[in-house]
Amino acid sequence: GAGVSQSPSNKVTEKGKDVELRCDPISGHTALYWYRQSLGQGLEFLIYFQGNSAPDKSGLPSDRFSAERTGGSVSTLTIQRTQQEDSAVYLCASSLTSAGRTEAFFGQGTRLTVV
Amino acid sequence: SQQGEEDPQALSIQEGENATMNCSYKTSINNLQWYRQNSGRGLVHLILIRSNEREKHSGRLRVTLDTSKKSSSLLITASRAADTASYFCATDVAGGADGLTFGKGTHLIIQP
């Protein structure tokens, strides 16, 4: 009965390295979202999954960003060749049905720092 | 894409006063939701209002929706220091597959 779980909670990486962020949604939730939030800013939409498919990838900032979701459950967000501007909190959320129709439950985020 | 925009960006009031935040959006929606965020981490859902509803209450929260003006307001009555947080509106896009999009938020400070 746990909520949305994200790991790691904090990640410091060197510029140019690849990182993988993980999100475990609430069991049974079909919709899963990834957002990015820079310090003091709003949430920037990255990608949305309905089941295993991603109807909307338009928010991914560059081709260095990719995400997948397998088995309609766990999702990973991968950032290749990280840059300093990638530093932010990456938030994952899930909801029972498709976008916007029910409340979204958020994880505590992964704070990524690229040095 | 940014769908909602909150106003004001920051609001500071005395404890016990009412706080009102506004949200404007651009395209037709099915629902509008309000969320709260403490300390820059996970968001907590406060209330969802559907496009055919005009007003909704939950405890000290009152949300209104005016689809003709594409705007919503969140009223927090009898504010408490613990209400200090950032508040975001979020919308889906009717007929779209954009997921849930958020505004930039209103940072509310309740002075004790």
Side-chain angles (χ1 to χ4, degrees), chain A residues 24-98:
Chain A
D24 281 271
I26 292 174
S27 178
H29 280 194
T30 60
L32 186 147
Y33 320 86
W34 282 100
Y35 297 90
R36 177 169 73 173
Q37 186 177 33
S38 300
L39 187 63
Q41 300 298 309
L43 276 72
E44 177 188 3
F45 171 78
L46 297 179
I47 191 168
Y48 153 59
F49 287 92
Q50 182 58 38
N52 287 341
S53 64
D56 189 354
K57 300 180 181 180
S58 64
L60 293 177
S62 75
D63 58 8
R64 297 186 295 105
F65 287 71
S66 63
E68 64 175 18
R69 188 181 186 193
T70 54
S73 182
V74 173
S75 176
T76 54
L77 176 69
T78 301
I79 309 172
Q80 296 178 308
R81 306 180 302 281
T82 52
Q83 303 294 313
Q84 287 186 330
E85 62 262 28
D86 299 334
S87 296
V89 175
Y90 289 81
L91 292 163
C92 174
S94 69
S95 65
L96 186 60
T97 63
S98 58

Side-chain angles (χ1 to χ4, degrees), chain A residues 8-10 33 35 37 40-45 48 55-59 89 91 99-111, chain B residues 1-2 30-33 35 37 39-45 48 50 88 91-105:
Chain A
S9 56
N10 289 283
Y33 320 86
Y35 297 90
Q37 186 177 33
Q41 300 298 309
L43 276 72
E44 177 188 3
F45 171 78
Y48 153 59
D56 189 354
K57 300 180 181 180
S58 64
V89 175
L91 292 163
R101 282 154 176 77
T102 56
E103 68 178 284
F105 293 82
F106 280 80
Q108 289 303 299
T110 294
R111 185 179 300 278
Chain B
S1 59
Q2 205 83 40
N30 292 310
N31 306 293
L32 185 142
Q33 305 183 39
Y35 287 80
Q37 183 181 39
S39 306
R41 286 295 187 140
L43 279 73
V44 174
H45 179 264
L48 180 153
R50 304 195 186 282
F88 295 87
T91 58
D92 66 340
V93 176
D98 285 351
L100 196 61
T101 57
F102 285 78
K104 294 184 179 179

Side-chain angles (χ1 to χ4, degrees), chain B residues 46-58:
Chain B
L46 295 176
I47 199 164
L48 180 153
I49 186 166
R50 304 195 186 282
S51 59
N52 62 354
E53 296 177 311
R54 292 295 168 259
E55 188 170 313
K56 203 160 183 179
H57 296 254
S58 176

